[in-house]
Amino acid sequence: MNAFDVLIIGAGAAGLMAAIRAGQRGRRVLVLDHAEAPGKKILISGGGRCNFTNRDIRPERFLSANPAFARSALARYTARDFLALIEKHRIAWHEKTLGQLFCDGSARQVVAMLLAEAEAVGVEIRLETRVTDITRGTDFTVTTDRGAFTAAALVLATGGLSIPKMGATGFAYDVAKRFGLGLVERRPGLVPFAFGGEELALMQPLAGVSLPILARAGGAKFPEAMLFTHRGLSGPAILQISSYWHPGEAITLDLLPGQDAISLLLAAKRARPKAEPRTALGELLPARLAQALAERHLPGMRMADLPDRALTGLANLLKSWRLTPATTEGYAKAEVTLGGVDTAALSQQTMMAKAVPGLFVVGEAVDVTGWLGGYNFQWAWASGWAAGEAA
Ligand code: FDA
């Protein structure tokens, strides 16, 4: 009774997609998960509306020690393929910004769709099941607190380390390592920055202020919104560069992207010499930020009192504010885990371990991490599909 063709550990985005595809191919599939419900991260994603893919998926928008690895799976199961599934299930959707596609209603619809597809092809899902051992003879045997199961194919789809309080574990890494697969160092990605000292003293009172910026780190740049928080900086621009940042490095922020700050400040001085610096600056930046920067960098009662040198200094800061985050807010706040199972150990066509026939690794557990904006789900769908085609 406990013999299957394919065992999948992890009923998240990638595991469910692998199950659906393998089931469609007539394979007998069992999905095991320790959680009490499937797809819990899908449910909380995109503010409850699930940013399920992006219209502009490109391999170079994924980080990995081998940037070419994701290309094959992404080309074979595309954003259009997933959108076709969404439309087949009559889930209303909209494009928000930058190609990001969301449900109009709720992320629950995406989970319900995946479960319906899985059920239609006879996939079995067992929840609240704890895996206690995995061995490999002719087949894989997965021992759990609810019995032992065997199959010739085993898919590791247990995701990454982000949001441990939701049950995220390093399970896939441990199992992969046990089977001799390499691991790329893990760190939190798409995560807010925390600051200390003077920088935090400036940022804390600004918590809640947001503005469009151009953020740069580790050779990447993102023109999106930034948000001040009680611990430092967040918002899409910051989350995006956090994936390119390494501890100890500086980030650079342009608070007036596309604008010539020095010309604007000198023009403001000429046009409104009697204006208070914070008022003049408030025409370029949110009022609270303008006030905080004016207090620190424009010592004077009126714009006319300020030497051009002071305005140039502030303009340079506005265009190229260099900051060194103390740290990130860690896995508790990270949307994804960078690093993971080394792609060198896997086939890019099938996600199968080259040295362990029958063992597959998919989704976030693999060292492939997308940008913010639906890229990580598309990787989960595409890598899950690739494994489901082959398992
Ligand atoms: P996922 O984490 O989805 O699934 C892993 C499954 O394995 C879970 O069901 C878990 O219970 C199970 N599991 C773990 N350890 C186990 C063990 N030891 N035994 C048995 N089962 C185990 N991405 C995106 O593209 N658009 C978005 O809108 C968002 N939004 C978002 C918001 C928040 C708050 C977070 C934290 C993340 C996002 N993401 C996102 C990222 C996205 O959620 C993530 O990349 C995918 O869920 C990864 O899919 P996986 O199937 O690989 O792992």
Side-chain angles (χ1 to χ4, degrees):
M1 286 304 279
N2 286 340
F4 291 82
D5 296 320
V6 184
L7 293 175
I8 298 174
I9 308 180
L16 290 174
M17 186 54 95
I20 291 164
R21 186 60 194 140
Q24 288 170 348
R25 291 175 46 246
R27 314 287 278 156
R28 281 175 311 132
V29 182
L30 173 67
V31 185
L32 301 169
D33 202 298
H34 66 176
E36 71 293 351
K40 279 168 69 178
K41 267 197 194 159
I42 301 173
L43 293 177
I44 60 159
S45 68
R49 290 221 163 93
C50 187
N51 177 192
F52 52 79
T53 192
N54 192 293
R55 273 198 193 282
D56 209 4
I57 298 288
R58 300 182 207 175
E60 57 273 23
R61 295 183 172 183
F62 293 81
L63 294 87
S64 171
N66 174 5
F69 180 82
R71 194 173 286 273
S72 170
L74 291 171
R76 278 178 303 128
Y77 190 85
T78 66
R80 266 196 314 277
D81 292 322
F82 193 76
L83 194 52
L85 193 58
I86 289 277
E87 293 191 328
K88 175 182 151 195
H89 287 259
R90 299 180 188 285
I91 297 174
W93 58 275
H94 62 280
E95 181 173 337
K96 201 166 168 189
T97 174
L98 302 170
Q100 300 166 6
L101 306 190
F102 287 76
C103 299
D104 288 357
S106 157
R108 278 197 295 273
Q109 295 172 285
V110 174
V111 176
M113 173 189 85
L114 295 169
L115 294 178
E117 288 285 323
E119 193 184 347
V121 292
V123 170
E124 258 189 66
I125 300 176
R126 297 203 191 179
L127 301 169
E128 296 184 281
T129 303
R130 206 167 60 82
V131 175
T132 52
D133 194 22
I134 299 178
T135 54
R136 179 166 174 258
T138 326
D139 284 348
F140 289 94
T141 300
V142 175
T143 308
T144 76
D145 56 358
R146 304 197 169 193
F149 307 93
T150 61
L154 174 64
V155 182
L156 302 176
T158 52
L161 297 167
S162 51
I163 324 284
K165 73 169 192 249
M166 281 187 60
T169 66
F171 181 88
Y173 312 131
D174 299 341
V175 177
K177 198 167 158 195
R178 200 138 59 74
F179 281 102
L181 279 57
L183 296 178
V184 173
E185 195 189 340
R186 274 84 65 213
R187 59 196 168 89
L190 301 179
V191 63
F193 285 131
F195 287 83
E198 276 214 5
E199 291 170 341
L200 182 61
L202 172 72
M203 291 168 186
Q204 250 173 352
L206 296 174
V209 171
S210 82
L211 72 162
I213 65 154
L214 178 71
R216 287 191 173 85
K221 58 179 179 185
F222 290 92
E224 285 193 64
M226 174 176 87
L227 172 72
F228 288 92
T229 72
H230 290 287
R231 296 191 61 191
L233 298 175
S234 186
I238 296 298
L239 299 183
Q240 295 280 34
I241 56 163
S242 73
S243 296
Y244 291 85
W245 176 83
H246 293 88
E249 292 175 2
I251 62 169
T252 308
L253 310 179
D254 177 350
L255 304 188
L256 290 174
Q259 300 188 69
D260 181 348
I262 185 59
S263 303
L264 289 170
L265 290 175
L266 292 174
K269 178 177 166 181
R270 277 196 305 276
R272 301 179 58 199
K274 291 185 183 156
E276 284 184 56
R278 66 174 176 154
T279 312
L281 207 50
E283 283 170 15
L284 304 175
L285 297 169
R288 279 162 65 198
L289 176 59
Q291 175 161 4
L293 291 177
E295 278 168 10
R296 279 178 181 235
H297 299 284
L298 298 179
M301 297 299 286
R302 303 175 315 154
M303 285 299 277
D305 302 334
L306 299 170
D308 288 357
R309 183 168 27 84
L311 294 177
T312 308
L314 179 63
N316 289 339
L317 179 88
L318 294 177
K319 290 303 287 178
S320 185
W321 191 13
R322 258 175 83 82
L323 294 162
T324 304
T327 179
T328 70
E329 291 204 31
Y331 289 115
K333 290 283 170 65
E335 247 184 51
V336 285
T337 303
L338 292 151
V341 175
D342 192 344
T343 58
L346 304 174
S347 151
Q348 60 186 343
Q349 275 79 37
T350 63
M351 302 292 130
M352 190 169 82
K354 291 172 186 165
V356 191
L359 180 66
F360 297 77
V361 193
V362 295
E364 196 178 323
V366 179
D367 170 35
V368 173
T369 306
W371 282 7
L372 184 77
Y375 294 88
N376 286 295
F377 277 135
Q378 188 57 38
W379 170 246
W381 315 134
S383 59
W385 180 268
E389 282 267 273

